[in-house]
CSV table of all heavy atoms in Angstrom, one decimal:
chain,number,residue,atom,x,y,z
A,359,VAL,N,5.8,5.8,10.2
A,359,VAL,CA,5.0,6.1,9.0
A,359,VAL,C,5.2,7.5,8.6
A,359,VAL,O,5.4,7.8,7.4
A,359,VAL,CB,3.5,5.7,9.2
A,359,VAL,CG1,2.7,6.0,8.0
A,359,VAL,CG2,3.4,4.2,9.6
A,360,GLY,N,5.1,8.4,9.6
A,360,GLY,CA,5.2,9.8,9.3
A,360,GLY,C,6.5,10.2,8.6
A,360,GLY,O,6.5,11.1,7.7
A,361,GLU,N,7.6,9.6,9.1
A,361,GLU,CA,8.9,9.9,8.5
A,361,GLU,C,9.2,9.2,7.2
A,361,GLU,O,10.0,9.7,6.5
A,361,GLU,CB,10.0,9.6,9.6
A,361,GLU,CG,9.9,10.5,10.8
A,361,GLU,CD,10.9,10.0,11.9
A,361,GLU,OE1,12.0,9.5,11.6
A,361,GLU,OE2,10.6,10.2,13.1
A,362,ASN,N,8.6,8.1,7.0
A,362,ASN,CA,9.0,7.2,5.9
A,362,ASN,C,8.0,6.9,4.8
A,362,ASN,O,8.4,6.3,3.8
A,362,ASN,CB,9.5,5.8,6.5
A,362,ASN,CG,10.6,6.0,7.4
A,362,ASN,OD1,11.7,6.4,7.0
A,362,ASN,ND2,10.5,5.6,8.7
A,363,SER,N,6.8,7.4,5.0
A,363,SER,CA,5.8,7.1,3.9
A,363,SER,C,5.4,8.4,3.2
A,363,SER,O,4.4,9.1,3.6
A,363,SER,CB,4.6,6.5,4.5
A,363,SER,OG,3.6,6.3,3.5
A,364,PRO,N,6.0,8.7,2.0
A,364,PRO,CA,5.6,9.8,1.2
A,364,PRO,C,4.1,9.7,0.8
A,364,PRO,O,3.4,10.7,0.7
A,364,PRO,CB,6.5,9.8,0.0
A,364,PRO,CG,7.4,8.6,0.1
A,364,PRO,CD,7.1,7.9,1.4
A,365,LEU,N,3.7,8.4,0.6
A,365,LEU,CA,2.3,8.1,0.2
A,365,LEU,C,1.3,8.7,1.2
A,365,LEU,O,0.4,9.4,0.8
A,365,LEU,CB,2.2,6.6,0.0
A,365,LEU,CG,0.8,6.1,-0.3
A,365,LEU,CD1,0.6,6.2,-1.8
A,365,LEU,CD2,0.7,4.6,0.1
A,366,VAL,N,1.5,8.3,2.4
A,366,VAL,CA,0.6,8.8,3.5
A,366,VAL,C,0.7,10.3,3.6
A,366,VAL,O,-0.4,10.9,3.7
A,366,VAL,CB,0.9,8.1,4.8
A,366,VAL,CG1,0.2,8.7,6.0
A,366,VAL,CG2,0.6,6.6,4.7
A,367,ARG,N,1.9,10.8,3.6
A,367,ARG,CA,2.0,12.3,3.8
A,367,ARG,C,1.2,13.0,2.6
A,367,ARG,O,0.4,13.9,2.9
A,367,ARG,CB,3.4,12.8,3.8
A,367,ARG,CG,4.2,12.3,5.0
A,367,ARG,CD,5.6,13.1,5.0
A,367,ARG,NE,6.4,12.7,3.9
A,367,ARG,CZ,7.5,11.9,3.9
A,367,ARG,NH1,7.7,11.2,5.1
A,367,ARG,NH2,8.2,11.7,2.9
A,368,ALA,N,1.5,12.6,1.4
A,368,ALA,CA,0.8,13.2,0.2
A,368,ALA,C,-0.7,13.1,0.3
A,368,ALA,O,-1.4,14.0,0.1
A,368,ALA,CB,1.4,12.7,-1.1
A,369,ALA,N,-1.1,11.9,0.7
A,369,ALA,CA,-2.6,11.6,0.7
A,369,ALA,C,-3.2,12.5,1.8
A,369,ALA,O,-4.3,13.0,1.6
A,369,ALA,CB,-2.9,10.2,1.0
A,370,ALA,N,-2.6,12.6,3.0
A,370,ALA,CA,-3.1,13.4,4.0
A,370,ALA,C,-3.2,14.9,3.6
A,370,ALA,O,-4.2,15.6,3.8
A,370,ALA,CB,-2.3,13.3,5.3
A,371,CYS,N,-2.1,15.4,3.0
A,371,CYS,CA,-2.1,16.8,2.6
A,371,CYS,C,-3.0,17.2,1.5
A,371,CYS,O,-3.5,18.3,1.4
A,371,CYS,CB,-0.7,17.1,2.2
A,371,CYS,SG,0.5,17.1,3.6
A,372,LYS,N,-3.3,16.2,0.7
A,372,LYS,CA,-4.2,16.5,-0.5
A,372,LYS,C,-5.5,17.1,-0.1
A,372,LYS,O,-6.0,18.0,-0.8
A,372,LYS,CB,-4.5,15.2,-1.2
A,372,LYS,CG,-5.2,15.2,-2.5
A,372,LYS,CD,-4.2,14.9,-3.7
A,372,LYS,CE,-4.9,15.1,-5.0
A,372,LYS,NZ,-4.8,16.5,-5.5
A,373,ALA,N,-6.0,16.7,1.1
A,373,ALA,CA,-7.3,17.2,1.5
A,373,ALA,C,-7.3,18.7,1.9
A,373,ALA,O,-8.3,19.3,2.1
A,373,ALA,CB,-7.8,16.4,2.7
A,374,PHE,N,-6.1,19.2,2.1
A,374,PHE,CA,-6.0,20.6,2.6
A,374,PHE,C,-5.4,21.6,1.6
A,374,PHE,O,-5.0,22.7,1.9
A,374,PHE,CB,-5.1,20.6,3.9
A,374,PHE,CG,-5.8,19.7,4.9
A,374,PHE,CD1,-5.4,18.4,5.1
A,374,PHE,CD2,-6.9,20.2,5.6
A,374,PHE,CE1,-6.1,17.6,6.0
A,374,PHE,CE2,-7.6,19.4,6.5
A,374,PHE,CZ,-7.1,18.1,6.7
A,375,GLU,N,-5.4,21.1,0.3
A,375,GLU,CA,-5.0,22.0,-0.8
A,375,GLU,C,-5.8,23.3,-0.9
A,375,GLU,O,-5.4,24.3,-1.2
A,375,GLU,CB,-5.0,21.3,-2.1
A,375,GLU,CG,-3.8,20.3,-2.3
A,375,GLU,CD,-3.8,19.5,-3.6
A,375,GLU,OE1,-4.8,19.6,-4.3
A,375,GLU,OE2,-2.8,18.9,-3.8
A,376,PHE,N,-7.1,23.1,-0.5
A,376,PHE,CA,-8.0,24.3,-0.5
A,376,PHE,C,-7.5,25.4,0.4
A,376,PHE,O,-7.9,26.6,0.2
A,376,PHE,CB,-9.4,23.9,-0.2
A,376,PHE,CG,-9.7,23.7,1.2
A,376,PHE,CD1,-10.3,24.7,2.0
A,376,PHE,CD2,-9.4,22.5,1.8
A,376,PHE,CE1,-10.5,24.5,3.4
A,376,PHE,CE2,-9.6,22.3,3.2
A,376,PHE,CZ,-10.2,23.3,4.0
A,377,LEU,N,-6.7,25.1,1.4
A,377,LEU,CA,-6.1,26.1,2.3
A,377,LEU,C,-4.9,26.8,1.7
A,377,LEU,O,-4.3,27.7,2.3
A,377,LEU,CB,-5.7,25.5,3.6
A,377,LEU,CG,-6.7,24.9,4.5
A,377,LEU,CD1,-6.1,24.2,5.7
A,377,LEU,CD2,-7.6,26.0,5.0
A,378,GLY,N,-4.5,26.3,0.5
A,378,GLY,CA,-3.3,26.8,-0.1
A,378,GLY,C,-2.0,26.0,0.4
A,378,GLY,O,-0.9,26.5,0.3
A,379,LEU,N,-2.3,24.9,1.1
A,379,LEU,CA,-1.2,24.0,1.5
A,379,LEU,C,-0.7,23.2,0.3
A,379,LEU,O,-1.5,22.5,-0.3
A,379,LEU,CB,-1.7,23.1,2.7
A,379,LEU,CG,-0.7,22.1,3.3
A,379,LEU,CD1,-1.2,21.8,4.7
A,379,LEU,CD2,-0.6,20.8,2.5
A,380,LYS,N,0.6,23.4,0.0
A,380,LYS,CA,1.1,22.7,-1.2
A,380,LYS,C,2.4,21.9,-0.8
A,380,LYS,O,3.3,22.5,-0.4
A,380,LYS,CB,1.4,23.7,-2.3
A,380,LYS,CG,0.2,24.3,-2.9
A,380,LYS,CD,0.6,25.2,-4.1
A,380,LYS,CE,-0.3,26.4,-4.2
A,380,LYS,NZ,0.2,27.5,-5.0
A,381,VAL,N,2.4,20.6,-1.1
A,381,VAL,CA,3.6,19.8,-0.8
A,381,VAL,C,4.4,19.8,-2.1
A,381,VAL,O,3.8,19.6,-3.2
A,381,VAL,CB,3.1,18.4,-0.5
A,381,VAL,CG1,4.3,17.4,-0.4
A,381,VAL,CG2,2.4,18.4,0.9
A,382,ASP,N,5.7,19.9,-2.0
A,382,ASP,CA,6.6,19.7,-3.1
A,382,ASP,C,6.8,18.2,-3.3
A,382,ASP,O,7.5,17.6,-2.4
A,382,ASP,CB,7.9,20.4,-2.8
A,382,ASP,CG,8.9,20.3,-3.9
A,382,ASP,OD1,9.0,19.2,-4.6
A,382,ASP,OD2,9.7,21.3,-4.1
A,383,LEU,N,6.2,17.7,-4.3
A,383,LEU,CA,6.1,16.2,-4.4
A,383,LEU,C,7.5,15.6,-4.5
A,383,LEU,O,7.7,14.4,-4.1
A,383,LEU,CB,5.2,15.8,-5.5
A,383,LEU,CG,3.7,16.2,-5.3
A,383,LEU,CD1,2.8,15.8,-6.4
A,383,LEU,CD2,3.2,15.5,-4.0
A,384,GLU,N,8.4,16.3,-5.1
A,384,GLU,CA,9.8,15.8,-5.3
A,384,GLU,C,10.5,15.7,-3.9
A,384,GLU,O,11.0,14.7,-3.6
A,384,GLU,CB,10.5,16.7,-6.2
A,384,GLU,CG,11.5,15.9,-7.1
A,384,GLU,CD,12.0,16.8,-8.2
A,384,GLU,OE1,11.3,17.2,-9.1
A,384,GLU,OE2,13.2,17.2,-8.1
A,385,LYS,N,10.4,16.8,-3.2
A,385,LYS,CA,11.0,16.8,-1.8
A,385,LYS,C,10.4,15.7,-1.0
A,385,LYS,O,11.0,15.0,-0.2
A,385,LYS,CB,10.8,18.1,-1.1
A,385,LYS,CG,11.7,19.2,-1.7
A,385,LYS,CD,11.5,20.5,-0.8
A,385,LYS,CE,12.3,21.7,-1.4
A,385,LYS,NZ,11.8,22.9,-0.9
A,386,ASN,N,9.1,15.5,-1.1
A,386,ASN,CA,8.3,14.5,-0.3
A,386,ASN,C,8.9,13.1,-0.6
A,386,ASN,O,8.9,12.3,0.3
A,386,ASN,CB,6.8,14.6,-0.6
A,386,ASN,CG,6.0,13.7,0.2
A,386,ASN,OD1,6.3,13.5,1.4
A,386,ASN,ND2,5.0,13.0,-0.4
A,387,GLU,N,9.3,12.9,-1.8
A,387,GLU,CA,9.8,11.5,-2.1
A,387,GLU,C,11.2,11.3,-1.7
A,387,GLU,O,11.7,10.1,-1.7
A,387,GLU,CB,9.7,11.3,-3.7
A,387,GLU,CG,8.3,11.2,-4.2
A,387,GLU,CD,7.6,9.9,-3.9
A,387,GLU,OE1,8.3,8.9,-3.5
A,387,GLU,OE2,6.3,9.9,-3.9
A,388,GLN,N,12.0,12.3,-1.4
A,388,GLN,CA,13.4,12.1,-1.2
A,388,GLN,C,13.9,11.9,0.2
A,388,GLN,O,14.8,12.5,0.7
A,388,GLN,CB,14.2,13.4,-1.8
A,388,GLN,CG,14.1,13.4,-3.3
A,388,GLN,CD,14.5,14.7,-3.9
A,388,GLN,OE1,14.7,15.7,-3.2
A,388,GLN,NE2,14.7,14.7,-5.2
A,389,SER,N,13.2,11.0,0.9
A,389,SER,CA,13.5,10.7,2.3
A,389,SER,C,13.9,11.9,3.1
A,389,SER,O,15.0,11.9,3.7
A,389,SER,CB,14.6,9.6,2.4
A,389,SER,OG,14.3,8.6,1.5
A,390,PRO,N,13.0,12.9,3.2
A,390,PRO,CA,13.4,14.1,4.0
A,390,PRO,C,13.5,13.8,5.5
A,390,PRO,O,12.8,13.0,6.0
A,390,PRO,CB,12.2,15.0,3.8
A,390,PRO,CG,11.1,14.1,3.4
A,390,PRO,CD,11.6,12.9,2.8
A,391,VAL,N,14.6,14.4,6.1
A,391,VAL,CA,14.7,14.4,7.5
A,391,VAL,C,14.9,15.8,8.1
A,391,VAL,O,15.8,16.5,7.6
A,391,VAL,CB,16.0,13.6,7.9
A,391,VAL,CG1,16.1,13.5,9.5
A,391,VAL,CG2,15.9,12.2,7.3
A,392,ASP,N,14.1,16.2,9.0
A,392,ASP,CA,14.1,17.6,9.5
A,392,ASP,C,14.1,18.6,8.4
A,392,ASP,O,14.9,19.5,8.4
A,392,ASP,CB,15.3,17.7,10.5
A,392,ASP,CG,15.2,16.9,11.7
A,392,ASP,OD1,14.2,16.1,11.8
A,392,ASP,OD2,16.0,17.0,12.6
A,393,GLN,N,13.1,18.4,7.5
A,393,GLN,CA,13.0,19.4,6.4
A,393,GLN,C,11.6,19.9,6.1
A,393,GLN,O,10.6,19.2,6.5
A,393,GLN,CB,13.4,18.6,5.1
A,393,GLN,CG,14.9,18.7,4.8
A,393,GLN,CD,15.2,17.9,3.5
A,393,GLN,OE1,14.5,18.0,2.5
A,393,GLN,NE2,16.2,17.1,3.5
A,394,ASP,N,11.5,21.0,5.5
A,394,ASP,CA,10.3,21.6,5.0
A,394,ASP,C,10.1,21.0,3.7
A,394,ASP,O,10.9,21.1,2.8
A,394,ASP,CB,10.5,23.1,5.0
A,394,ASP,CG,9.2,23.9,4.5
A,394,ASP,OD1,8.3,23.2,4.1
A,394,ASP,OD2,9.3,25.1,4.6
A,395,ILE,N,8.9,20.3,3.5
A,395,ILE,CA,8.7,19.7,2.1
A,395,ILE,C,7.6,20.4,1.4
A,395,ILE,O,7.0,19.9,0.4
A,395,ILE,CB,8.4,18.2,2.3
A,395,ILE,CG1,7.1,18.0,3.2
A,395,ILE,CG2,9.6,17.4,2.7
A,395,ILE,CD1,6.5,16.6,3.0
A,396,SER,N,7.2,21.6,1.8
A,396,SER,CA,6.2,22.4,1.1
A,396,SER,C,6.8,23.2,0.0
A,396,SER,O,8.0,23.5,0.0
A,396,SER,CB,5.4,23.3,2.1
A,396,SER,OG,6.2,24.0,2.9
A,397,THR,N,6.0,23.6,-0.9
A,397,THR,CA,6.5,24.5,-2.0
A,397,THR,C,6.7,25.9,-1.4
A,397,THR,O,6.1,26.3,-0.4
A,397,THR,CB,5.5,24.6,-3.2
A,397,THR,OG1,4.3,25.2,-2.6
A,397,THR,CG2,5.2,23.3,-3.8
A,398,SER,N,7.5,26.7,-2.1
A,398,SER,CA,7.8,28.0,-1.5
A,398,SER,C,6.6,28.9,-1.4
A,398,SER,O,6.5,29.8,-0.5
A,398,SER,CB,8.9,28.7,-2.3
A,398,SER,OG,8.5,28.8,-3.6
A,399,ASP,N,5.6,28.7,-2.3
A,399,ASP,CA,4.4,29.5,-2.2
A,399,ASP,C,3.3,28.9,-1.3
A,399,ASP,O,2.1,29.3,-1.4
A,399,ASP,CB,3.9,29.8,-3.6
A,399,ASP,CG,3.4,28.6,-4.4
A,399,ASP,OD1,3.8,27.5,-4.0
A,399,ASP,OD2,2.7,28.7,-5.4
A,400,SER,N,3.6,27.8,-0.6
A,400,SER,CA,2.5,27.1,0.2
A,400,SER,C,2.1,28.1,1.3
A,400,SER,O,3.0,28.7,2.0
A,400,SER,CB,3.1,25.8,0.7
A,400,SER,OG,2.1,25.2,1.6
A,401,ALA,N,0.8,28.1,1.6
A,401,ALA,CA,0.3,28.9,2.7
A,401,ALA,C,0.6,28.3,4.1
A,401,ALA,O,0.6,29.0,5.1
A,401,ALA,CB,-1.2,29.1,2.6
A,402,VAL,N,1.0,27.0,4.1
A,402,VAL,CA,1.3,26.3,5.3
A,402,VAL,C,2.5,25.5,5.1
A,402,VAL,O,2.7,24.9,4.1
A,402,VAL,CB,0.1,25.3,5.7
A,402,VAL,CG1,0.4,24.5,6.9
A,402,VAL,CG2,-1.2,26.1,5.9
A,403,ARG,N,3.5,25.6,6.1
A,403,ARG,CA,4.7,24.7,6.0
A,403,ARG,C,4.3,23.3,6.2
A,403,ARG,O,3.4,23.0,7.1
A,403,ARG,CB,5.7,25.2,7.0
A,403,ARG,CG,6.2,26.6,6.9
A,403,ARG,CD,7.1,26.9,5.7
A,403,ARG,NE,6.3,27.6,4.8
A,403,ARG,CZ,6.4,27.5,3.4
A,403,ARG,NH1,7.3,26.6,2.9
A,403,ARG,NH2,5.7,28.2,2.6
A,404,VAL,N,4.9,22.4,5.5
A,404,VAL,CA,4.7,20.9,5.8
A,404,VAL,C,6.1,20.4,6.1
A,404,VAL,O,7.1,20.6,5.3
A,404,VAL,CB,4.1,20.2,4.6
A,404,VAL,CG1,3.9,18.7,4.9
A,404,VAL,CG2,2.8,20.9,4.2
A,405,MET,N,6.3,19.7,7.2
A,405,MET,CA,7.6,19.3,7.6
A,405,MET,C,7.7,17.9,8.0
A,405,MET,O,6.7,17.3,8.5
A,405,MET,CB,8.0,20.2,8.8
A,405,MET,CG,7.9,21.6,8.5
A,405,MET,SD,8.4,22.7,9.9
A,405,MET,CE,10.1,22.6,9.8
A,406,VAL,N,8.8,17.3,7.8
A,406,VAL,CA,9.1,15.9,8.3
A,406,VAL,C,10.2,16.0,9.3
A,406,VAL,O,11.3,16.6,9.1
A,406,VAL,CB,9.6,15.0,7.1
A,406,VAL,CG1,9.8,13.6,7.6
A,406,VAL,CG2,8.5,15.0,6.0
A,407,ILE,N,9.9,15.6,10.5
A,407,ILE,CA,10.9,15.7,11.6
A,407,ILE,C,11.1,14.3,12.2
A,407,ILE,O,10.2,13.6,12.5
A,407,ILE,CB,10.3,16.6,12.8
A,407,ILE,CG1,9.8,17.9,12.3
A,407,ILE,CG2,11.3,16.7,13.9
A,407,ILE,CD1,10.8,19.1,12.2
Side-chain angles (χ1 to χ4, degrees):
V359 177
E361 292 174 32
N362 297 298
S363 176
L365 175 81
V366 168
R367 290 193 297 260
C371 289
K372 187 109 186 83
F374 300 98
E375 281 177 352
F376 76 97
L377 292 175
L379 179 155
K380 293 186 207 157
V381 172
D382 181 324
L383 294 176
E384 216 169 288
K385 283 186 188 161
N386 183 39
E387 289 289 338
Q388 288 167 350
S389 310
V391 180
D392 291 5
Q393 266 182 48
D394 181 349
I395 57 162
S396 49
T397 60
S398 56
D399 64 341
S400 174
V402 175
R403 301 291 103 214
V404 180
M405 306 179 77
V406 180
I407 307 268

